[in-house]
C-alpha cells in the first residue's frame, strides 16, 4: 500500500493506493515549509482522517511532492513532519515539479512546465529530472504564475499605471489600498497566495487588451527564462501543468506559437496521472 500526496501552498491532494486501485481520496490544507515548521506539517498529516490513518502501519511508502521542497533543508523539514505520523513508512519527498514531470511522462524525453500559484520547468527523460534554472519563489521568480500576475497587477495599481476602468473595478471588488497591500505582501504569511488570489479578477477580464498583454508578458518571461534554457528545447514537446495553462490556455498557445515550441498535453491537476505513473513504477519493482 502506498500514499501519494501533491501539495501547493493552499491545498494538498492525497490518494491511498493498494496495487492498482485507489482506495481513498482526500484533500487537506497545503504544506509549504517556507511558511510552517515540521510540527505544523505533522498536524496537517494528522488531519487525513481515520480512513487513511487507521491503515498507516500498512503503508510501505509515502510519496510526497510539494511546493517549497527544492532544497534539502526544506525537504527534510517536510520529511520530519510526515515521519511524526508515518513512522513505519519509507518517505519519498520531492518538489512539486517532479510530480508534474512524472505525471506528464509518456515514455519520451520532454519538458514539463508547472504554472500555478508558483512556476517552474524541467526536462525529464524517464530517468533524471533536470532543471537549468530552478524555481525562486514569488519574490525573485515565479514568472508565468498566478502570484506573478497578481504582483504585476498590484504593482501597476499602486503606481497608477492601470487603465482607469481596471483600477476602478479592482478598488470596488477588493476595497484595497496601499496599506492593506503592503501588509499582506510584506508582513503577513502566504504573500504568494494573497497575490495569486487576484488571478481570478484578471481571468474574468482577460479580453481587456491591457490585462491580456500583461499576462502574455509574464508567460513570455517564463518561457524565455525557464523553457528556453533547457538544451534542445526546440525539439522537445512541452507539457503544461497547473491552473495557469488551464485558465489562460489561449495566451499560453500564442506564446508557444511565437517561440515555435512543440505543444504537449495540458493538465490542470496532476494527481491522477501521477498515481498511474507511480503505480507502474512502485509495483513493477
Amino acid at each position: 500500500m502506498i500514499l501519494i500526496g501533491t501539495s501547493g501552498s493552499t491545498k494538498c491532494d492525497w490518494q491511498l493506493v493498494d496495487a492498482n486501485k485507489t482506495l481513498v481520496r482526500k484533500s487537506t490544507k497545503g504544506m509549504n515549509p517556507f511558511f510552517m515548521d515540521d510540527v505544523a506539517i505533522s498536524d496537517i498529516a494528522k488531519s487525513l482522517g481515520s480512513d487513511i490513518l487507521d491503515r498507516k502501519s500498512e503503508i510501505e511508502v509515502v510519496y510526497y511532492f510539494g511546493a517549497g521542497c527544492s532544497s534539502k533543508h526544506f525537504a527534510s523539514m517536510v520529511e520530519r513532519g510526515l515521519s511524526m505520523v508515518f513512522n513505519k513508512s519509507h518517505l519519498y519527498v520531492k518538489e512539486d515539479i517532479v510530480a508534474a514531470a512524472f505525471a506528464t511522462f509518456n515514455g519520451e524525453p520532454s519538458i514539463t512546465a508547472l504554472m500555478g500559484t508558483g512556476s517552474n520547468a524541467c526536462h525529464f527523460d524517464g530517468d533524471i529530472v533536470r532543471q537549468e534554472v530552478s524555481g525562486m519563489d514569488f519574490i525573485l521568480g515565479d514568472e508565468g504564475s498566478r502570484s506573478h500576475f497578481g504582483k504585476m497587477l498590484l504593482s501597476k495599481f499602486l503606481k497608477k499605471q492601470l487603465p482607469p476602468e481596471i483600477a476602478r473595478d479592482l478598488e470596488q471588488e477588493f476595497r484595497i489600498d496601499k496599506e492593506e497591500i503592503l501588509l499582506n505582501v510584506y508582513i503577513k504569511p502566504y504573500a504568494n497566495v494573497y497575490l495569486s488570489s487576484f488571478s481570478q479578477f484578471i481571468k474574468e477580464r482577460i479580453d481587456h487588451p491591457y490585462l491580456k498583454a500583461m499576462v502574455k508578458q509574464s508567460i513570455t518571461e517564463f518561457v524565455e527564462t525557464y523553457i528556453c534554457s533547457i538544451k534542445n528545447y526546440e525539439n522537445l514537446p512541452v507539457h503544461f501543468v497547473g491552473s495557469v495553462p488551464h485558465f489562460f490556455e489561449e495566451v499560453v498557445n500564442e506564446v508557444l506559437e511565437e517561440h515555435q515550441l512543440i505543444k504537449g498535453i495540458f493538465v490542470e491537476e496532476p494527481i491522477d496521472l501521477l498515481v498511474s505513473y507511480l503505480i507502474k513504477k512502485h509495483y513493477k519493482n
Side-chain angles (χ1 to χ4, degrees), residues 15-47:
Q15 288 194 27
L16 181 66
V17 176
D18 190 15
N20 63 349
K21 182 180 179 182
T22 294
L23 304 178
V24 181
R25 296 173 184 261
K26 285 273 186 173
S27 290
T28 63
K29 181 180 176 183
M31 302 189 295
N32 190 326
F34 281 5
F35 306 111
M36 57 181 64
D37 60 16
D38 50 2
V39 174
I41 289 166
S42 72
D43 287 341
I44 292 174
K46 290 173 185 174
S47 73

Side-chain angles (χ1 to χ4, degrees), residues 34-170:
F34 281 5
F35 306 111
M36 57 181 64
D37 60 16
D38 50 2
V39 174
I41 289 166
S42 72
D43 287 341
I44 292 174
K46 290 173 185 174
S47 73
L48 277 165
S50 59
D51 45 357
I52 290 179
L53 298 182
D54 285 353
R55 308 183 197 187
K56 65 181 182 179
S57 62
E58 304 172 56
I59 298 173
E60 304 166 54
V61 184
V62 177
Y63 291 97
Y64 174 85
F65 306 86
C69 293
S70 56
S71 73
K72 289 183 180 180
H73 171 76
F74 289 116
S76 295
M77 189 186 300
V78 172
E79 190 169 332
R80 286 196 303 273
L82 291 175
S83 69
M84 295 178 192
V85 179
F86 302 101
N87 55 1
K88 295 183 179 179
S89 305
H90 175 72
L91 300 177
Y92 180 93
V93 176
K94 298 290 182 182
E95 61 182 312
D96 47 2
I97 187 65
V98 176
F102 287 173
T104 54
F105 186 66
N106 61 4
E108 299 294 333
S110 59
I111 295 170
T112 299
L114 177 60
M115 303 166 73
T117 301
S119 65
N120 213 336
C122 69
H123 171 268
F124 186 45
D125 60 3
D127 183 26
I128 299 173
V129 176
R130 288 190 176 90
Q131 295 174 273
E132 292 300 324
V133 179
S134 60
M136 289 173 282
D137 206 61
F138 74 101
I139 295 176
L140 298 177
D142 276 353
E143 296 87 351
S145 70
R146 298 201 324 270
S147 63
H148 195 254
F149 298 166
K151 182 165 68 172
M152 294 175 77
L153 180 74
L154 294 185
S155 176
K156 292 176 186 298
F157 171 75
L158 292 174
K159 296 170 185 174
K160 301 187 185 301
Q161 295 175 340
L162 288 177
E165 65 275 17
I166 298 297
R168 182 190 64 244
D169 287 354
L170 190 62

